[in-house]
Amino acid sequence: MMIMQALITSNRRSQCTNCSLGKFLMLLMVFGLTYLLVTHQSSNTFASNGLQNGAANKEDKRENRGDNVIRRFWRKPPRLPPQLPPNVMHNVSSNLDADKSESQLRQQKVKDAFIHAWSGYRNYAMGYDELMPLSQRGVDGLGGLGATIIDALDTALIMGAEDIASEAGTWIESHLIERINGKGQVNFFETTIRVLGGLLSAHHLSIGEKGSKGVNPQVLLEVAKHLADRLLSAFTSSPTAIPFSDVVLHDSSAHPAPGGLSSTSEVATVQLEFNYLSEISGDPKYGLEAMKVLEHMRTLPKVEGLVPIYISPHSGHFSGENIRLGSRGDSYYEYLIKVWIQQKDGRDTKFKYLYEMYTEAMRGVRHLLVRKSIPKGLVFVGELPYGSKGAFSPKMDHLVCFLPGALALGATKGLTKKKAMENNLLSAEDLENLKLAEDLAKTCFEMYSVTSTGLSPEIAYFHIEGGSEGGPDGGNKSSEYVNDIIIKPNDRHNLLRPETVESLFVLHRIMEDPKYREWGWQIFEAFEKYTKVESGGYTSLDDVTTIPPYKRDKMETFFLGETLKYLYLLFGENNILPLDKFVFNTEAHPFPLINSSSG
Ligand code: DMJ
């Protein structure tokens, strides 16, 4: 182009206009030169692209030989694949690199938070169930088995926090059997999901190459069996398939809760753990007992797949009519789909009924419990405290925020949506559940954004058409949803719960949408700002709507076992603990799927 321009604008142009032969020769020369330049440039581009391709590279060397220049002059230039201009290409790859290193930085911050949480616990509460970070002492709220240590161990292994893993592993090896033999009453469900679950996943993660100093997988399995043998008394003492709620460890006895009833979620949320223990110990007794609960529940009458939140171990029947996916109901629905997923080889046979129960229940949720708030239309899951004939309550516990993750998992079975679509694996109902999962995840995130601290309350109410006039808001007046979400004074606490970040992690894996990472990061920053205790640990809050928030002086074990683990995984690579090969128990302890099922 430069040569053309020079020729067109030079004096030679006027000299040649009178000479047609000269004009013709000039044009021929211009085209010839332009052609040579273009083909030379194309050949160079091809060569640089071909660096990752041996054949193209050899081709390039041949092309560069001088004796081919004339031949190339007459030949059509090679057809090149469409290319982004170099500056755009550079931006795309550097954006990807920047995203990656940003995620790595965020992951490191989450690991730092875990180390800070552990340091508070180790310094002031080692051997107790939980840390009281403000009083700088420990408390046994879960029966005295050192629950934080066991809940945190697999998180330490996943994060590569070797010193913590080693301290936890050494403590378990030296103290846990003695504690199990000596302690009194523990809650059957809590001990199963946190302690048994923690031991089993740490067992898996510490086998072989993945092993860590001070963590002995064989010891973890032995302790797990020792504990499970005592926990089994919850089943064997009950006259029905429904276990009692409490176990006395030192004499392996069990008894019902004071009112006689068990929580539906509790009795139906021990199967992943007992099944996996049977799988790795070779002893079927654990899984057999636990699965009797779900087999029995299959036969009970339900309301469009939904069940009341209490069940009697004496009669084996549900009690009352209160239906909700929050406290006492939540993980019944979670385990229907997760136990089905766990039994990889039995999904179409022996365990198919679980998928059917789950599918029916999710239809019930969509039909009876899902509503939209006004004025801005947040999708939420409410409650039926008096059954399907009673009034709808627009109340949603933060605990319900496990549901977006469970719905997404149920739809794609742990694959990415993209892969599931490519393989034609998604039904119309799966897509509907995925959409609901995304809508609910947004609502759960907005439950954080709507408060002054950026942290969710334990319970939110939603403003609905024809509902009451409203009530106090979350304090963040700049939130778009400040009029949709009502937070009552008694519900303003935050226990460092994991459910929302759990769903963000699962949805990020499945939908591959970066917004879930952004939301997770905002939540993490709010935890850092308002719950971190300088001397070590993080604390629950009394009120998320005021700044500074009133503090509660308790670090729940699930902050280390779940919340920080899910945040860490959210910012990590997708091939770590892939969701089509592992299932996370309700306390975020991952177990490999069972392939050798008898299904
Ligand atoms: C955890 O112990 C488990 O996630 C359980 O299923 C519900 N409650 C807490 C976390 O909020």
Side-chain angles (χ1 to χ4, degrees):
M1 280 178 73
M2 279 165 62
I3 291 169
M4 284 276 272
Q5 193 64 31
L7 287 173
I8 290 164
T9 54
S10 76
N11 290 336
R12 262 177 265 164
R13 185 184 169 215
S14 55
Q15 286 161 19
C16 284
T17 42
N18 299 329
C19 168
S20 57
L21 182 62
K23 204 167 150 187
F24 172 72
L25 284 174
M26 181 64 71
L27 273 172
L28 196 63
M29 194 176 86
V30 165
F31 281 121
L33 277 171
T34 313
Y35 190 78
L36 273 174
L37 274 170
V38 168
T39 51
H40 181 69
Q41 233 175 4
S42 303
S43 159
N44 276 349
T45 319
F46 186 60
S48 67
N49 281 347
L51 280 177
Q52 294 132 348
N53 178 326
N57 218 8
K58 279 184 218 146
E59 176 74 6
D60 173 58
K61 279 181 197 150
R62 277 205 307 274
E63 290 289 340
N64 275 341
R65 285 207 303 262
D67 56 354
N68 276 340
V69 170
I70 305 292
R71 187 155 50 94
R72 206 175 57 216
F73 185 87
W74 297 112
R75 210 182 59 190
K76 253 178 113 188
R79 250 175 190 278
L80 300 176
Q83 292 201 339
L84 294 172
N87 60 329
V88 178
M89 235 157 53
H90 176 74
N91 284 345
V92 169
S93 70
S94 59
N95 282 347
L96 284 176
D97 287 349
D99 285 353
K100 199 167 169 200
S101 62
E102 177 75 349
S103 291
Q104 282 168 350
L105 276 176
R106 290 177 171 186
Q107 207 183 27
Q108 182 58 45
K109 295 271 182 217
V110 176
K111 183 173 172 182
D112 293 344
F114 177 75
I115 294 169
H116 183 79
W118 176 263
S119 77
Y121 173 76
R122 183 202 43 220
N123 291 343
Y124 305 116
M126 192 71 186
Y128 286 93
D129 282 332
E130 294 132 331
L131 167 70
M132 296 174 71
L134 302 180
S135 329
Q136 301 183 344
R137 61 192 174 91
V139 58
D140 277 338
L142 293 158
L145 297 180
T148 292
I149 300 172
I150 306 137
D151 229 0
L153 174 55
D154 65 354
T155 308
L157 290 168
I158 290 166
M159 291 180 175
E162 292 200 354
D163 292 347
I164 297 178
S166 167
E167 279 170 331
T170 308
W171 187 92
I172 290 169
E173 191 161 347
S174 337
H175 300 285
L176 195 50
I177 289 272
E178 185 196 330
R179 290 279 177 102
I180 292 168
N181 292 340
K183 286 292 173 184
Q185 180 178 310
V186 294
N187 176 279
F188 170 58
F189 154 79
E190 297 290 2
T191 311
T192 301
I193 64 166
R194 301 188 201 211
V195 183
L196 183 59
L199 291 169
L200 292 174
S201 64
H203 163 78
H204 173 75
L205 295 171
S206 60
I207 290 174
E209 284 174 46
K210 290 167 271 168
S212 182
K213 231 177 357 120
V215 186
N216 182 337
Q218 207 41 47
V219 169
L220 296 174
L221 180 56
E222 285 313 313
V223 182
K225 280 195 286 184
H226 191 76
L227 175 62
D229 286 340
R230 279 159 178 70
L231 294 175
L232 276 179
S233 66
F235 296 113
T236 52
S237 310
S238 166
T240 67
I242 303 304
F244 287 152
S245 78
D246 298 306
V247 168
V248 180
L249 288 173
H250 62 73
D251 63 7
S252 293
S253 64
H255 56 78
L261 299 173
S262 298
S263 296
T264 300
S265 64
E266 294 195 359
V267 301
T269 309
V270 292
Q271 288 69 21
L272 288 178
E273 297 78 359
F274 281 83
N275 285 342
Y276 185 59
L277 178 57
S278 277
E279 170 76 3
I280 58 173
S281 68
D283 189 340
K285 70 180 175 190
Y286 307 106
L288 285 175
E289 283 298 340
M291 289 307 291
K292 282 183 196 164
V293 180
L294 298 178
E295 284 153 16
H296 171 74
M297 284 178 153
R298 177 189 187 179
T299 67
L300 298 178
K302 305 177 184 70
V303 179
E304 300 189 28
L306 305 177
V307 294
I309 58 170
Y310 287 107
I311 190 162
S312 163
H314 302 288
S315 69
H317 290 292
F318 288 117
S319 176
E321 293 193 282
N322 196 343
I323 288 173
R324 65 177 180 231
L325 270 78
S327 63
R328 301 183 190 279
D330 49 2
S331 45
Y332 162 77
Y333 304 94
E334 179 186 352
Y335 268 37
L336 289 180
I337 190 64
K338 285 189 173 175
V339 176
W340 178 78
I341 284 178
Q342 179 186 41
Q343 302 292 336
K344 211 165 178 351
D345 294 345
R347 289 183 190 170
D348 292 330
T349 51
K350 192 173 165 189
F351 299 98
K352 196 172 173 201
Y353 73 96
L354 294 169
Y355 187 71
E356 290 164 355
M357 285 167 76
Y358 166 79
T359 309
E360 194 195 356
M362 291 308 110
R363 282 181 199 150
V365 168
R366 294 199 307 267
H367 181 214
L368 296 173
L369 302 181
V370 170
R371 295 274 184 97
K372 272 190 183 178
S373 65
I374 56 169
K376 290 287 183 178
L378 282 176
V379 174
F380 70 96
V381 175
E383 302 183 358
L384 292 171
Y386 309 103
S388 59
K389 305 228 162 51
F392 174 84
S393 165
K395 162 179 178 273
M396 180 163 138
D397 293 352
H398 181 272
L399 287 167
V400 181
C401 292
F402 82 93
L403 189 60
L407 279 165
L409 202 57
T412 70
K413 287 81 190 169
L415 299 175
T416 60
K417 181 185 180 191
K418 186 163 170 267
K419 193 162 178 194
M421 295 279 276
E422 281 165 5
N423 291 296
N424 270 330
L425 297 175
L426 298 184
S427 66
E429 193 162 4
D430 289 329
L431 289 169
E432 205 178 334
N433 281 344
L434 263 185
K435 172 78 176 73
L436 178 58
E438 290 201 277
D439 290 345
L440 288 173
K442 175 171 173 56
T443 301
C444 290
F445 171 67
E446 297 302 342
M447 283 164 62
Y448 285 71
S449 294
V450 82
T451 70
S452 317
T453 54
L455 290 169
S456 171
E458 178 73 358
I459 298 169
Y461 284 79
F462 290 82
H463 194 190
I464 51 170
E465 202 72 63
S468 61
E469 282 306 288
D473 61 47
N476 177 9
K477 304 289 181 202
S478 65
S479 162
E480 207 188 321
Y481 301 100
V482 72
N483 296 318
D484 290 58
I485 299 178
I486 300 155
I487 303 174
K488 299 190 176 177
N490 285 341
D491 305 333
R492 290 175 175 161
H493 48 293
N494 179 297
L495 305 185
L496 310 170
R497 284 198 192 275
E499 290 76 17
T500 296
V501 295
E502 165 185 349
S503 283
L504 297 182
F505 156 68
V506 176
L507 276 165
H508 181 260
R509 284 277 175 101
I510 287 176
M511 305 303 295
E512 301 178 286
D513 184 337
K515 80 177 172 206
Y516 296 115
R517 276 187 168 164
E518 290 312 313
W519 293 354
W521 182 246
Q522 280 186 45
I523 292 172
F524 175 73
E525 284 194 308
F527 278 129
E528 282 292 286
K529 190 163 179 189
Y530 293 112
T531 71
K532 188 170 184 173
V533 176
E534 227 27 68
S535 55
Y538 290 75
T539 185
S540 303
L541 301 177
D542 247 343
D543 184 351
V544 292
T545 67
T546 52
I547 294 180
Y550 299 110
K551 295 183 170 151
R552 270 222 166 156
D553 199 13
K554 176 88 158 295
M555 182 170 76
E556 301 284 345
T557 76
F558 47 70
F559 186 61
L560 291 89
E562 297 194 69
T563 311
L564 293 176
K565 182 190 288 148
Y566 281 130
L567 281 164
Y568 183 84
L569 292 171
L570 172 65
F571 298 115
E573 301 288 335
N574 289 356
N575 56 358
I576 308 296
L577 301 169
L579 294 177
D580 59 339
K581 298 200 169 51
F582 285 83
V583 63
F584 287 76
N585 87 339
T586 196
E587 190 74 7
H589 298 303
F591 309 140
L593 302 189
I594 295 175
N595 286 307
S596 57
S597 152
S598 52

